[in-house]
Amino acid sequence: NDDDVFTGKDHTPLRSDAFNMSPSAKVEKIEKLFGEIMETLGLDMTDDSLKDSPKRVAKMYVNEIFGGLLPENKPGISTFSNKYKYRQMLVEKDITVYSFCEHHFLPIIGKAHVAYISNGEVIGLSKINRIVDYYAKRPQVQERLTSQIADAIVRRLDPRGVIVVIEAEHLCMAMRGIRKPGATTTTSAVGTASIIRRLAICCCSWRMRSTSSSSTASGSAHRWRSMFSGARACTRPCTTASMPTPPRHTPLGVPVEPEVATTSAGASRSA
């Protein structure tokens, strides 16, 4: 099963029986229900232009724009050793994001920027794009989408640090409601390996310097790099007693061992 079958702000709110129905059965059911919606709106379902629309919409929902709700679509993520000994930040910028607001089922369109520092393993660039697509292809809120992408990379790659920034326009604000086309929302999520986080906190050396809420991801590699810096020497002896107790759960609510990676997220909005 998909590891996102939980409720709450950090998970896609899916029921426990979300995967009991086959994709083809879902298409058949949605086709019937969407046809009823069209008929209720007064459309002539015998018209050549409209009669096949329910089936087209149903197939699009299940297999395409909401394909991230099917666990079989979760991308297989393989890693390989960082034989190049590249120890700096790798940034994959301007990944196109097409998602849907879960409140009004209208598109969220934008760009994702993903950066990480290797902890010995690296991931193919196409896999970063596939992770973004998988979590975007479901009803979403932008804050959750950002956190899910960061958490997926942390869990699989266990990097020294990862940051995800998404800048997007919500059509639920552009074509209805407040009607403010061009307004954008910026969210960010930062993740680190928990053992690094524990040691860094213990030694007073980890400095998380967040960027201002108004700054954008464009040209921000230098700012991102500063978030993972921490060269200050420890000024007090470190003992086992002084080390904080590691969290027993990730922010996504999944029980973990002490050294499994965790993710923390922050969000800022700009208009």
Side-chain angles (χ1 to χ4, degrees):
N1 284 345
D2 191 346
D3 57 12
D4 288 305
V5 187
F6 299 91
T7 58
K9 64 183 178 64
D10 294 314
H11 296 275
T12 302
L14 295 174
R15 302 191 317 271
S16 59
D17 63 348
F19 310 127
N20 290 352
M21 188 180 295
S22 68
S24 59
K26 290 180 179 181
V27 169
E28 184 177 346
K29 184 172 183 178
I30 293 173
E31 178 184 352
K32 177 183 177 182
L33 296 173
F34 197 82
E36 292 179 4
I37 291 175
M38 295 178 67
E39 286 183 353
T40 302
L41 291 173
L43 296 173
D44 180 4
M45 299 306 294
T46 65
D47 187 90
D48 288 343
S49 179
L50 298 177
K51 64 181 182 180
D52 291 328
S53 293
K55 178 179 290 186
R56 285 191 290 262
V57 170
K59 292 171 66 176
M60 176 186 67
Y61 273 15
V62 174
N63 300 322
E64 296 181 80
I65 62 176
F66 297 137
L69 294 175
L70 299 176
E72 57 264 36
N73 289 340
K74 189 169 188 176
I77 305 301
S78 57
T79 63
F80 48 95
S81 177
N82 182 18
K83 62 181 180 180
Y84 309 109
K85 306 300 181 184
Y86 182 73
R87 297 181 176 87
Q88 305 304 312
M89 182 176 296
L90 183 147
V91 183
E92 182 76 353
K93 296 177 59 178
D94 297 325
I95 303 171
T96 300
V97 172
Y98 293 123
S99 191
F100 266 70
C101 163
E102 67 182 33
H103 302 134
H104 299 96
F105 274 59
L106 288 173
I108 299 172
I109 303 173
K111 298 289 184 180
H113 316 283
V114 180
Y116 75 91
I117 298 177
S118 172
N119 196 26
E121 295 290 313
V122 294
I123 187 174
L125 299 180
S126 68
K127 301 302 184 184
I128 298 176
N129 287 260
R130 292 181 188 276
I131 290 172
V132 172
D133 282 348
Y134 176 69
Y135 287 105
K137 290 181 178 179
R138 53 178 69 181
Q140 278 286 12
V141 293
Q142 188 172 323
E143 295 89 340
R144 182 200 301 137
L145 171 60
T146 312
S147 297
Q148 286 176 330
I149 295 169
D151 187 77
I153 294 175
V154 168
R155 287 202 218 182
R156 189 63 187 89
L157 198 57
D158 192 28
R160 290 174 56 196
V162 62
I163 184 167
V164 177
V165 175
I166 296 179
E167 302 167 295
E169 180 177 8
H170 295 233
L171 293 196
C172 61
M173 289 178 55
M175 61 185 295
R176 59 156 303 280
I178 192 65
R179 291 186 176 88
K180 292 295 182 183
T184 61
T185 299
T186 302
T187 50
S188 63
V190 178
T192 60
S194 62
I195 185 169
I196 297 174
R197 182 172 176 270
R198 287 173 60 199
L199 292 175
I201 291 174
C202 172
C203 296
C204 308
S205 62
W206 193 252
R207 296 178 305 196
M208 297 297 290
R209 298 197 295 271
S210 62
T211 60
S212 65
S213 59
S214 61
S215 62
T216 64
S218 177
S220 60
H222 175 72
R223 293 195 298 273
W224 289 358
R225 184 176 294 110
S226 71
M227 298 182 73
F228 300 118
S229 66
R232 186 172 59 190
C234 184
T235 58
R236 61 180 174 82
C238 297
T239 64
T240 302
S242 68
M243 296 183 70
T245 302
R248 299 301 302 170
H249 294 76
T250 68
L252 298 191
V254 181
V256 296
E257 294 301 320
E259 308 310 332
V260 173
T262 62
T263 302
S264 62
S268 63
R269 291 184 179 270
S270 61

